[in-house]
Amino acid sequence: MRTQVGIVGAGPAGLLLSHLLHLRGIDSVVLELRDRDHCERRVRAGVLEQGTVDLLNESGVGERMRREGLPHHGIELRYGGSAHRIPFEKLVPGRAITVYGQQEVVKDLIAARLAASGKIVFDVPDVALHDVTGSPRLTFGGETLECDVIAGCDGFHGVSRPSIPDGVISTFERDYPFAWLGVLARVPPSTEELVYARTPRGFALHSMRSPEVSRFYLQVPPDEPVGNWPDERIWAELGARLESVPGFALQSGPILEKSVTPMRSFVAEPMQYGRLYLAGDAAHIVPPTGAKGLNLAVADVRVLTAALEHWYATGSADLLDAYSASCLKRVWRAQHFSWWMTTLLHTFDHDDAYGERLQTSYLDYVTSSEAAATTLAENYVGMPW
Ligand code: APR
Ligand code: PHB
C-alpha cells in the first residue's frame, strides 16, 4: 500500500489532518488502535476556541456544531462567596467559545472522511514506524504502508514519539498533586455559563453539553479510584463546592459517566524528526483547566496542512522544516495559560496560607481590573492564529 501522508491515530488531530489534506487533494491513510465506537464515545473536554470553530466551519464539517453547539460569551469565576463574570463580548469583541463535546467533533470528522471515501483503518494494535529519516513506512497487521511523510497523531501514549531515537527530543514537564473526576449527568445545567469555582474543599467546574446534559469536574487526589465516588457523594461534593454563592441551587440527576483524569503539563521539542511530524497530544499535554488540548491539536494540524500543501505544490520544504518552531509558540502560550488557570483555582497544600493569599490576590485582580480580565479572556477564547 502507498499513500502520501500516513497518519497514526484517529483522534481530533489525525482526523482533521486527513480531512484538511483531502480538501487540498493530498491523499492520506489513518491507522487507529481502537475501534470506531470507542473513538466516538470517549468523553473528553468540550470547549472550542473561536479559531477552531472557524476552521471547522470553513472546512465544511461545522454543520452539526452550528446546530447543537452552545456559543458562550463569558465564564464565571466563583470564590470567597461571590461570583464574578468575565465578559468576552466586552473584553474580546467578536470572539467567543462554543461548548461542543470533543467526541462530537470526532463523530463529525469520521463521518466526513468516510463520506469522501477516506481511508481509516480502526482496531490495529500493532502499528510501527520505520525509516522516518529515509523512506518512511508504517507496518500493521502484516501490511506495509509506504508514505512520503508520517504524521504522529496518536496521543500521549502512542508509538510515534517513542520511535524517535533518544537524544533527539527534549521534554519539559510539570505534575500536579491532584486529578479531576469528570462527571456527565442527564440534568439541565444549573447555570447559563461555565462556572470555575475555587473553594477550600478544592476546585469544581460546572460545564454542560446540551440543554439536557451537564458536565462537571471535581478536584480529587491523584490516582483517586473512581470507586471512591458513588453518585450521592458526587452530588454532595458538587453542592458543597458550587452552592457557595447566594441564590445558586444545583440540580442533580442520573449520572451517565464518570472517570478520573490525571493532570499533567508536557512538551516535546522539537515536534519533528526526519519525515515524522508530531501533532496534538503526541507532542504536548496541558491540564484541562482552560480546555486547550483539543484546540492546540487543531492549531498544529492547521500549520502542518499548510506546510504539506506548500511542499507538494512547490517542492520547497521551508514550511515543513519550520513546523515545530511555528507550532511551539502557540503551544507554550497555552502551556502557560493552562498552568496559570490550574494554579489559580486549585487547592494545593492546606498549610500553604501564603499560596492561598496569592491566589486570592490574583483572583481579586482578574475580577476587578479590565487589563487583567482581558488577559484571561483573550487566552481563553484563543489567541489569533
Ligand atoms: N496506534 C494507532 N493509534 C493509536 C496508538 C497506536 N499505537 N496509540 C494511540 N492511538 C490513538 C488513540 O486511540 C486515539 O484515538 O491515537 C488517537 C489519539 O487521539 P487523542 O488522544 O484524542 O489526541 P489528539 O488527536 O492529539 O487530540 C488532542 O485529545 O487527549 C485529548 O485533551 C486532549 O482534547 C485533546 C485532544
Ligand atoms: C468541559 O466541558 O469538558 C470542559 C470545560 C472547560 C474546561 C475543561 C473541560 O476548562
Side-chain angles (χ1 to χ4, degrees):
M1 284 173 30
R2 217 207 115 67
T3 188
Q4 290 175 291
V5 181
I7 300 176
V8 190
L15 291 166
L16 182 62
L17 178 63
S18 179
H19 173 65
L20 294 177
L21 291 175
H22 165 71
L23 296 180
R24 286 153 184 83
I26 300 169
D27 185 57
S28 67
V29 173
V30 181
L31 303 179
E32 164 60 43
L33 173 66
R34 312 301 298 251
D35 63 29
R36 177 176 176 184
D37 198 50
H38 181 95
C39 294
E40 294 189 340
R41 277 172 198 266
R42 211 164 17 197
V43 183
R44 294 269 184 77
V47 171
L48 308 185
E49 293 178 355
Q50 187 65 55
T52 299
V53 168
D54 294 345
L55 182 62
L56 295 175
N57 279 328
E58 285 157 16
S59 66
V61 285
E63 195 265 330
R64 198 164 64 95
M65 172 186 70
R66 284 196 297 280
R67 239 182 318 121
E68 297 178 14
L70 308 167
H72 282 205
H73 298 274
I75 56 166
E76 184 186 312
L77 299 179
R78 197 173 282 191
Y79 69 99
S82 46
H84 308 262
R85 182 166 187 265
I86 306 291
F88 300 155
E89 71 279 356
K90 174 173 168 216
L91 301 168
V92 279
R95 298 176 74 73
I97 54 148
T98 295
V99 179
Y100 188 62
Q102 176 172 316
Q103 81 268 33
E104 307 306 325
V105 176
V106 165
K107 280 183 210 162
D108 296 344
L109 287 168
I110 290 176
R113 285 314 293 128
L114 297 182
S117 307
K119 187 126 175 57
I120 310 173
V121 190
F122 288 101
D123 236 341
V124 278
D126 58 350
V127 176
L129 291 76
H130 309 272
D131 201 12
V132 298
T133 52
S135 309
R137 285 184 324 279
L138 290 166
T139 54
F140 63 101
E143 307 224 33
T144 298
L145 176 66
E146 291 175 6
C147 2
D148 299 331
V149 301
I150 296 175
C153 303
D154 47 351
F156 185 67
H157 300 286
V159 284
S160 299
R161 196 182 64 253
S163 66
I164 298 175
D166 288 349
V168 171
I169 281 188
S170 306
T171 59
F172 303 84
E173 292 180 64
R174 259 298 179 273
D175 281 325
Y176 301 90
F178 39 75
W180 274 17
L181 172 67
V183 176
L184 195 68
R186 186 174 308 287
V187 60
S190 304
T191 171
E192 286 185 5
E193 295 182 335
L194 272 58
V195 177
Y196 288 81
R198 190 202 62 166
T199 86
R201 305 177 68 94
F203 169 77
L205 171 59
H206 187 339
S207 181
M208 60 201 70
R209 286 294 177 268
S210 72
E212 298 82 35
V213 175
S214 297
R215 177 80 172 147
F216 301 95
Y217 297 94
L218 285 168
Q219 175 183 353
V220 295
D223 305 317
E224 177 85 332
V226 80
N228 285 1
W229 289 87
D231 294 2
E232 316 74 64
R233 184 178 176 205
I234 290 176
W235 287 118
E237 194 59 32
L238 283 169
R241 297 189 195 181
L242 289 167
E243 288 177 341
S244 53
V245 293
F248 179 87
L250 182 70
Q251 307 288 332
S252 60
I255 289 183
L256 307 172
E257 199 261 359
K258 50 185 160 182
S259 58
V260 173
T261 311
M263 306 279 275
R264 188 190 287 119
S265 298
F266 172 89
V267 181
E269 289 187 7
M271 293 168 54
Q272 63 194 85
Y273 174 63
R275 292 187 177 187
L276 167 62
Y277 300 89
L278 303 177
D281 277 21
H284 40 71
I285 298 275
V286 285
T289 333
K292 290 290 165 217
L294 165 66
N295 295 292
L296 273 187
V298 168
D300 290 349
V301 156
R302 184 177 167 277
V303 173
L304 187 52
T305 301
L308 287 167
E309 183 180 25
H310 184 66
W311 185 54
Y312 280 115
T314 66
S316 158
D318 289 0
L319 295 183
L320 275 178
D321 292 346
Y323 168 71
S324 177
S326 308
C327 292
L328 282 169
K329 271 196 182 305
R330 188 179 192 86
V331 167
W332 276 109
R333 179 87 303 281
Q335 287 287 333
H336 179 270
F337 178 68
S338 306
W339 164 85
W340 175 74
M341 284 280 279
T342 303
T343 347
L344 187 64
L345 292 164
H346 288 75
T347 306
F348 285 78
D349 185 345
H350 284 282
D351 293 332
D352 183 12
Y354 180 85
E356 194 270 330
R357 294 290 197 284
L358 287 184
Q359 283 181 330
T360 306
S361 167
Y362 212 111
L363 283 165
D364 287 346
Y365 181 42
V366 102
T367 54
S368 61
S369 150
E370 192 168 315
T374 304
T375 293
L376 194 163
E378 72 170 344
N379 280 279
Y380 197 90
V381 300
M383 302 300 285
W385 303 120

